[in-house]
Amino acid sequence: MNPMEMSNLIEFPIYERATPTFSEAEMAGRLQKLRGAMATHDIDSVLMTSIHNVNYYSDFFYCSFGRPYGLVVNQQTQTTLSANIDGGAPARRSFGQNQVYTDWQRDNFYRAVQKHIKDGDTVGIEMDHINMQMVSKLKAALPNSKFVDIAEPAMFLRMIKSAEEIAHITKMTAIADIGGTACAEAIGVGVSEHEVAIHSTDTMIREIAKVFPDSEIRDTWTWFQSGINTDGAHNPVTTRKIEAGDILSLNCFPMVAGYYVALERTLFAEHASDAHLKNWQVNCLVHDEGKKLIKPGAKCSDIAHELNKIYAEHGLLQARTFGYGHSFGILCHYYGREAGLELREDIDTVLEPGMVVSMEPMIMIEEGKPGAGGYREHDILVLTESGAENITHFPYGPEHNIIIKG
């Protein structure tokens, strides 16, 4: 049979649904809020294309590998759009319907869009995710439709976490603490960064399998940095071997169902110089004071300005490298970001109960100067009606994290 004569769109029968991450009531509630936002903005249909929004509203966590994926939502139905390469897995994982498109003709994804979105609809798309080529093809597929942005309204909906989400994030944060313990176990002079990271990651993955036995096992990772490699928060793991007196950075990231949490700590191998101790203690002070400022009614920009004062008093403000924290939920280093909830001078969002944010101050002293390296501590806090609950429990500071072996 000529592939050009094969079906453009197919549907797989669902023999057995995967155990969902969240309850049916939770998923229906998310969609109800999205549909409310659609009504407010006069949007007939939404086409989500990002990993984070497709996952948030359908529980399907896609791997694109160069192919487009989507979720169509209108006031009656929700349908994930997936590539045939994934077989029936998207149907098993989706809350709602699933439409599969094949590779037998180019741009079958847009034929799936045409099937599920009426030409002439006002269509919400993620303008912070969709590229110009996709916009052009959508306009060709739906020439009478109007396209408007849904990314920001959807982001603000995701920023307030439900009780189920908070429970999920809390379990994951405990797993990050376990990863931190595994890092500390593996640290030693002469041990390479990648060996420390492997031990931590494997430990977290095994714990995820215990705590979330029905979940997909994917994307958990550890960044462990030593010496000069600590200057960047997102520097990758290398084969560099730990030396006595090295500053170290522990970064544990368990991932479950698209949700990301983090544990980050400054440590030292065997001993720390006086200059290193001074910088470390200042950063821990900022971390302590920052956690006190996280509460309902606080403005993100105000928190940043207050913490800047502490660094300035100690002559370290110029060593700051990024904002003081950010939202947690469905996000990762390669997708997703709730940019409206970052503790930065240019963000005026007011903290509310149900938000989940980090406090993670970092300073970096250039190589060649006394106390060189990157310092950061990182806790996750859940906003409550009266304050904030710190769900990170791994210790920090010189009393705990100068690692001496033997």
Side-chain angles (χ1 to χ4, degrees), residues 185-231:
E185 289 172 352
I187 289 169
V189 172
V191 179
S192 64
E193 292 177 5
H194 76 277
E195 290 294 346
V196 176
I198 288 169
H199 182 59
S200 170
T201 301
D202 286 353
T203 300
M204 289 191 291
I205 288 172
R206 292 188 178 101
E207 188 66 17
I208 287 168
K210 294 177 186 176
V211 177
F212 299 95
D214 297 311
S215 68
E216 298 174 323
I217 302 297
R218 58 191 293 188
D219 298 328
T220 291
W221 85 105
T222 300
W223 283 324
F224 178 79
Q225 302 137 350
S226 64
I228 192 172
N229 293 336
T230 63
D231 63 353

Short mmCIF file of all heavy atoms in Angstrom, two decimals, residues 185-231:
data_model
loop_
_atom_site.label_atom_id
_atom_site.label_comp_id
_atom_site.label_asym_id
_atom_site.label_seq_id
_atom_site.Cartn_x
_atom_site.Cartn_y
_atom_site.Cartn_z
N GLU A 185 26.74 11.47 50.91
CA GLU A 185 27.35 10.14 51.09
C GLU A 185 28.48 9.92 50.08
O GLU A 185 29.50 9.30 50.41
CB GLU A 185 26.30 9.05 50.89
CG GLU A 185 25.28 8.92 52.00
CD GLU A 185 24.18 7.94 51.63
OE1 GLU A 185 24.13 7.48 50.47
OE2 GLU A 185 23.37 7.65 52.53
N ALA A 186 28.26 10.39 48.86
CA ALA A 186 29.20 10.09 47.78
C ALA A 186 30.36 11.06 47.70
O ALA A 186 31.38 10.76 47.05
CB ALA A 186 28.44 10.08 46.45
N ILE A 187 30.26 12.23 48.33
CA ILE A 187 31.31 13.24 48.25
C ILE A 187 32.57 12.76 48.94
O ILE A 187 32.53 12.22 50.04
CB ILE A 187 30.82 14.57 48.88
CG1 ILE A 187 29.76 15.22 48.00
CG2 ILE A 187 31.99 15.53 49.10
CD1 ILE A 187 29.05 16.38 48.67
N GLY A 188 33.70 12.98 48.28
CA GLY A 188 34.99 12.67 48.87
C GLY A 188 36.10 13.18 47.98
O GLY A 188 35.92 13.33 46.76
N VAL A 189 37.23 13.51 48.56
CA VAL A 189 38.36 13.98 47.77
C VAL A 189 38.76 12.88 46.78
O VAL A 189 38.88 11.70 47.14
CB VAL A 189 39.55 14.33 48.70
CG1 VAL A 189 40.81 14.63 47.88
CG2 VAL A 189 39.19 15.52 49.58
N GLY A 190 38.91 13.27 45.51
CA GLY A 190 39.25 12.34 44.46
C GLY A 190 38.06 11.73 43.73
O GLY A 190 38.23 11.07 42.71
N VAL A 191 36.84 11.98 44.25
CA VAL A 191 35.64 11.47 43.60
C VAL A 191 35.21 12.47 42.52
O VAL A 191 35.22 13.68 42.75
CB VAL A 191 34.50 11.27 44.61
CG1 VAL A 191 33.23 10.78 43.92
CG2 VAL A 191 34.92 10.31 45.71
N SER A 192 34.82 11.98 41.36
CA SER A 192 34.42 12.88 40.27
C SER A 192 32.98 13.37 40.45
O SER A 192 32.16 12.70 41.08
CB SER A 192 34.56 12.18 38.92
OG SER A 192 33.67 11.09 38.83
N GLU A 193 32.71 14.53 39.87
CA GLU A 193 31.36 15.11 39.95
C GLU A 193 30.31 14.12 39.44
O GLU A 193 29.25 13.97 40.05
CB GLU A 193 31.29 16.40 39.13
CG GLU A 193 32.10 17.55 39.68
CD GLU A 193 32.06 18.78 38.79
OE1 GLU A 193 31.32 18.78 37.78
OE2 GLU A 193 32.76 19.75 39.11
N HIS A 194 30.61 13.48 38.33
CA HIS A 194 29.58 12.63 37.72
C HIS A 194 29.26 11.42 38.59
O HIS A 194 28.11 10.96 38.60
CB HIS A 194 29.97 12.22 36.30
CG HIS A 194 31.00 11.15 36.21
ND1 HIS A 194 32.36 11.40 36.31
CD2 HIS A 194 30.89 9.80 36.03
CE1 HIS A 194 33.02 10.27 36.18
NE2 HIS A 194 32.16 9.28 36.01
N GLU A 195 30.21 10.92 39.34
CA GLU A 195 29.92 9.78 40.21
C GLU A 195 29.01 10.19 41.37
O GLU A 195 28.11 9.44 41.76
CB GLU A 195 31.23 9.19 40.75
CG GLU A 195 32.07 8.47 39.70
CD GLU A 195 31.41 7.20 39.15
OE1 GLU A 195 30.42 6.74 39.75
OE2 GLU A 195 31.88 6.69 38.12
N VAL A 196 29.21 11.39 41.91
CA VAL A 196 28.33 11.90 42.95
C VAL A 196 26.92 12.06 42.40
O VAL A 196 25.92 11.65 43.02
CB VAL A 196 28.84 13.24 43.51
CG1 VAL A 196 27.85 13.82 44.53
CG2 VAL A 196 30.21 13.08 44.15
N ALA A 197 26.82 12.64 41.20
CA ALA A 197 25.51 12.88 40.58
C ALA A 197 24.78 11.57 40.28
O ALA A 197 23.57 11.47 40.49
CB ALA A 197 25.68 13.70 39.30
N ILE A 198 25.51 10.57 39.80
CA ILE A 198 24.88 9.28 39.49
C ILE A 198 24.27 8.67 40.74
O ILE A 198 23.14 8.18 40.73
CB ILE A 198 25.91 8.32 38.85
CG1 ILE A 198 26.24 8.76 37.41
CG2 ILE A 198 25.39 6.88 38.86
CD1 ILE A 198 27.43 8.02 36.82
N HIS A 199 25.02 8.69 41.83
CA HIS A 199 24.52 8.10 43.08
C HIS A 199 23.26 8.81 43.56
O HIS A 199 22.28 8.17 43.96
CB HIS A 199 25.61 8.16 44.15
CG HIS A 199 25.20 7.53 45.46
ND1 HIS A 199 24.80 6.21 45.57
CD2 HIS A 199 25.10 8.06 46.70
CE1 HIS A 199 24.50 5.95 46.82
NE2 HIS A 199 24.66 7.05 47.54
N SER A 200 23.27 10.13 43.50
CA SER A 200 22.10 10.90 43.93
C SER A 200 20.89 10.62 43.04
O SER A 200 19.78 10.36 43.54
CB SER A 200 22.41 12.39 43.91
OG SER A 200 21.26 13.17 44.10
N THR A 201 21.09 10.66 41.74
CA THR A 201 19.99 10.46 40.80
C THR A 201 19.39 9.06 40.93
O THR A 201 18.16 8.90 40.99
CB THR A 201 20.46 10.70 39.36
OG1 THR A 201 20.96 12.04 39.24
CG2 THR A 201 19.31 10.50 38.37
N ASP A 202 20.23 8.05 41.00
CA ASP A 202 19.74 6.68 41.13
C ASP A 202 18.95 6.50 42.43
O ASP A 202 17.91 5.82 42.45
CB ASP A 202 20.90 5.69 41.10
CG ASP A 202 21.48 5.50 39.71
OD1 ASP A 202 20.90 6.05 38.75
OD2 ASP A 202 22.52 4.83 39.58
N THR A 203 19.43 7.13 43.50
CA THR A 203 18.73 7.03 44.78
C THR A 203 17.34 7.66 44.69
O THR A 203 16.35 7.09 45.17
CB THR A 203 19.54 7.71 45.89
OG1 THR A 203 20.82 7.07 45.99
CG2 THR A 203 18.84 7.63 47.23
N MET A 204 17.25 8.84 44.05
CA MET A 204 15.95 9.50 43.92
C MET A 204 15.01 8.70 43.02
O MET A 204 13.81 8.59 43.32
CB MET A 204 16.14 10.92 43.37
CG MET A 204 16.78 11.88 44.36
SD MET A 204 16.72 13.61 43.83
CE MET A 204 17.85 13.61 42.43
N ILE A 205 15.51 8.15 41.94
CA ILE A 205 14.65 7.38 41.03
C ILE A 205 14.05 6.17 41.76
O ILE A 205 12.85 5.87 41.62
CB ILE A 205 15.43 6.94 39.79
CG1 ILE A 205 15.70 8.15 38.89
CG2 ILE A 205 14.67 5.87 39.01
CD1 ILE A 205 16.63 7.86 37.73
N ARG A 206 14.87 5.49 42.54
CA ARG A 206 14.35 4.33 43.28
C ARG A 206 13.29 4.76 44.30
O ARG A 206 12.30 4.04 44.51
CB ARG A 206 15.51 3.60 43.96
CG ARG A 206 16.45 2.92 42.96
CD ARG A 206 17.48 2.05 43.65
NE ARG A 206 18.33 1.39 42.66
CZ ARG A 206 19.56 1.80 42.34
NH1 ARG A 206 20.09 2.85 42.95
NH2 ARG A 206 20.26 1.16 41.43
N GLU A 207 13.48 5.92 44.91
CA GLU A 207 12.50 6.41 45.87
C GLU A 207 11.21 6.83 45.17
O GLU A 207 10.10 6.59 45.68
CB GLU A 207 13.07 7.59 46.67
CG GLU A 207 12.21 8.04 47.83
CD GLU A 207 12.07 7.02 48.94
OE1 GLU A 207 12.87 6.06 48.99
OE2 GLU A 207 11.14 7.17 49.77
N ILE A 208 11.32 7.42 44.00
CA ILE A 208 10.13 7.78 43.21
C ILE A 208 9.32 6.52 42.90
O ILE A 208 8.09 6.52 42.99
CB ILE A 208 10.54 8.50 41.92
CG1 ILE A 208 11.03 9.93 42.23
CG2 ILE A 208 9.38 8.56 40.91
CD1 ILE A 208 11.71 10.62 41.06
N ALA A 209 10.00 5.45 42.52
CA ALA A 209 9.30 4.20 42.21
C ALA A 209 8.53 3.67 43.41
O ALA A 209 7.47 3.06 43.25
CB ALA A 209 10.30 3.16 41.72
N LYS A 210 9.03 3.92 44.62
CA LYS A 210 8.32 3.50 45.83
C LYS A 210 7.14 4.42 46.15
O LYS A 210 6.04 3.97 46.45
CB LYS A 210 9.28 3.49 47.02
CG LYS A 210 10.39 2.47 46.96
CD LYS A 210 11.30 2.63 48.18
CE LYS A 210 12.51 1.72 48.10
NZ LYS A 210 13.44 1.96 49.24
N VAL A 211 7.38 5.71 46.08
CA VAL A 211 6.37 6.69 46.52
C VAL A 211 5.29 6.89 45.45
O VAL A 211 4.11 7.10 45.78
CB VAL A 211 7.05 8.04 46.86
CG1 VAL A 211 6.01 9.10 47.23
CG2 VAL A 211 8.04 7.85 48.00
N PHE A 212 5.68 6.81 44.19
CA PHE A 212 4.75 7.00 43.06
C PHE A 212 4.79 5.76 42.17
O PHE A 212 5.30 5.81 41.04
CB PHE A 212 5.12 8.24 42.26
CG PHE A 212 5.09 9.54 43.03
CD1 PHE A 212 6.25 10.05 43.60
CD2 PHE A 212 3.90 10.25 43.18
CE1 PHE A 212 6.22 11.25 44.30
CE2 PHE A 212 3.87 11.44 43.88
CZ PHE A 212 5.03 11.94 44.44
N PRO A 213 4.27 4.63 42.63
CA PRO A 213 4.45 3.37 41.89
C PRO A 213 3.76 3.32 40.54
O PRO A 213 4.10 2.47 39.72
CB PRO A 213 3.86 2.32 42.84
CG PRO A 213 2.91 3.08 43.71
CD PRO A 213 3.53 4.43 43.89
N ASP A 214 2.82 4.22 40.28
CA ASP A 214 2.11 4.21 39.00
C ASP A 214 2.62 5.28 38.03
O ASP A 214 2.03 5.48 36.96
CB ASP A 214 0.60 4.43 39.23
CG ASP A 214 -0.01 3.30 40.05
OD1 ASP A 214 0.22 2.13 39.70
OD2 ASP A 214 -0.71 3.59 41.04
N SER A 215 3.68 5.98 38.41
CA SER A 215 4.16 7.09 37.59
C SER A 215 5.11 6.62 36.50
O SER A 215 5.70 5.53 36.58
CB SER A 215 4.87 8.13 38.46
OG SER A 215 6.07 7.59 38.98
N GLU A 216 5.26 7.44 35.49
CA GLU A 216 6.33 7.24 34.51
C GLU A 216 7.65 7.63 35.18
O GLU A 216 7.71 8.62 35.90
CB GLU A 216 6.09 8.11 33.28
CG GLU A 216 4.82 7.78 32.53
CD GLU A 216 4.54 8.73 31.39
OE1 GLU A 216 4.83 9.94 31.53
OE2 GLU A 216 4.03 8.28 30.36
N ILE A 217 8.70 6.87 34.93
CA ILE A 217 10.01 7.17 35.49
C ILE A 217 10.83 7.87 34.41
O ILE A 217 11.31 7.26 33.46
CB ILE A 217 10.72 5.88 35.96
CG1 ILE A 217 9.87 5.15 37.00
CG2 ILE A 217 12.10 6.22 36.51
CD1 ILE A 217 9.62 5.91 38.28
N ARG A 218 10.97 9.19 34.58
CA ARG A 218 11.66 9.95 33.54
C ARG A 218 12.13 11.30 34.08
O ARG A 218 11.50 11.89 34.95
CB ARG A 218 10.74 10.18 32.33
CG ARG A 218 9.46 10.91 32.68
CD ARG A 218 8.44 10.90 31.55
NE ARG A 218 8.85 11.65 30.39
CZ ARG A 218 8.04 11.91 29.35
NH1 ARG A 218 6.81 11.43 29.34
NH2 ARG A 218 8.46 12.61 28.33
N ASP A 219 13.28 11.73 33.59
CA ASP A 219 13.76 13.12 33.69
C ASP A 219 14.31 13.56 35.04
O ASP A 219 14.70 14.71 35.19
CB ASP A 219 12.68 14.10 33.23
CG ASP A 219 12.29 13.90 31.79
OD1 ASP A 219 13.16 13.51 31.00
OD2 ASP A 219 11.12 14.11 31.44
N THR A 220 14.36 12.69 36.03
CA THR A 220 15.01 13.07 37.29
C THR A 220 16.52 13.22 37.05
O THR A 220 17.12 12.41 36.34
CB THR A 220 14.75 11.99 38.36
OG1 THR A 220 13.37 12.04 38.71
CG2 THR A 220 15.59 12.21 39.60
N TRP A 221 17.11 14.23 37.64
CA TRP A 221 18.56 14.44 37.42
C TRP A 221 19.19 15.19 38.59
O TRP A 221 18.51 15.74 39.44
CB TRP A 221 18.80 15.17 36.10
CG TRP A 221 18.71 16.67 36.12
CD1 TRP A 221 19.76 17.54 36.07
CD2 TRP A 221 17.53 17.49 36.17
NE1 TRP A 221 19.31 18.84 36.09
CE2 TRP A 221 17.94 18.83 36.15
CE3 TRP A 221 16.17 17.20 36.24
CZ2 TRP A 221 17.04 19.89 36.19
CZ3 TRP A 221 15.26 18.25 36.29
CH2 TRP A 221 15.70 19.58 36.25
N THR A 222 20.52 15.16 38.62
CA THR A 222 21.31 15.88 39.62
C THR A 222 22.40 16.66 38.92
O THR A 222 23.08 16.13 38.03
CB THR A 222 21.98 14.89 40.60
OG1 THR A 222 20.98 14.13 41.26
CG2 THR A 222 22.81 15.64 41.64
N TRP A 223 22.55 17.93 39.29
CA TRP A 223 23.75 18.69 38.93
C TRP A 223 24.61 18.78 40.18
O TRP A 223 24.16 19.28 41.22
CB TRP A 223 23.40 20.10 38.47
CG TRP A 223 22.86 20.21 37.09
CD1 TRP A 223 23.22 19.47 36.00
CD2 TRP A 223 21.86 21.13 36.62
NE1 TRP A 223 22.51 19.86 34.89
CE2 TRP A 223 21.67 20.89 35.24
CE3 TRP A 223 21.13 22.14 37.22
CZ2 TRP A 223 20.78 21.62 34.47
CZ3 TRP A 223 20.23 22.87 36.46
CH2 TRP A 223 20.06 22.61 35.09
N PHE A 224 25.82 18.28 40.11
CA PHE A 224 26.76 18.42 41.22
C PHE A 224 28.01 19.10 40.67
O PHE A 224 28.62 18.62 39.71
CB PHE A 224 27.10 17.06 41.83
CG PHE A 224 28.10 17.16 42.94
CD1 PHE A 224 27.70 17.58 44.21
CD2 PHE A 224 29.44 16.89 42.72
CE1 PHE A 224 28.63 17.72 45.23
CE2 PHE A 224 30.37 17.01 43.74
CZ PHE A 224 29.96 17.43 45.00
N GLN A 225 28.37 20.22 41.29
CA GLN A 225 29.48 21.02 40.77
C GLN A 225 30.54 21.20 41.85
O GLN A 225 30.23 21.23 43.05
CB GLN A 225 28.95 22.39 40.32
CG GLN A 225 27.88 22.31 39.26
CD GLN A 225 26.71 23.26 39.51
OE1 GLN A 225 26.59 23.86 40.57
NE2 GLN A 225 25.84 23.39 38.52
N SER A 226 31.78 21.36 41.43
CA SER A 226 32.89 21.53 42.37
C SER A 226 33.83 22.63 41.88
O SER A 226 33.97 22.85 40.68
CB SER A 226 33.66 20.22 42.53
OG SER A 226 34.28 19.84 41.30
N GLY A 227 34.43 23.33 42.85
CA GLY A 227 35.44 24.32 42.52
C GLY A 227 34.94 25.38 41.55
O GLY A 227 33.86 25.95 41.72
N ILE A 228 35.69 25.60 40.50
CA ILE A 228 35.36 26.64 39.52
C ILE A 228 34.01 26.39 38.86
O ILE A 228 33.33 27.33 38.43
CB ILE A 228 36.48 26.73 38.45
CG1 ILE A 228 36.31 28.00 37.60
CG2 ILE A 228 36.53 25.47 37.60
CD1 ILE A 228 37.48 28.26 36.67
N ASN A 229 33.56 25.14 38.81
CA ASN A 229 32.30 24.81 38.15
C ASN A 229 31.07 25.28 38.92
O ASN A 229 29.95 25.21 38.41
CB ASN A 229 32.20 23.30 37.92
CG ASN A 229 33.22 22.81 36.93
OD1 ASN A 229 33.71 23.56 36.09
ND2 ASN A 229 33.59 21.53 37.03
N THR A 230 31.26 25.75 40.16
CA THR A 230 30.11 26.21 40.96
C THR A 230 29.65 27.62 40.58
O THR A 230 28.67 28.10 41.13
CB THR A 230 30.44 26.20 42.46
OG1 THR A 230 31.51 27.14 42.72
CG2 THR A 230 30.86 24.82 42.93
N ASP A 231 30.35 28.28 39.65
CA ASP A 231 30.03 29.69 39.40
C ASP A 231 28.69 29.89 38.69
O ASP A 231 28.13 30.97 38.72
CB ASP A 231 31.15 30.40 38.63
CG ASP A 231 31.41 29.83 37.24
OD1 ASP A 231 30.81 28.78 36.89
OD2 ASP A 231 32.22 30.42 36.51
#
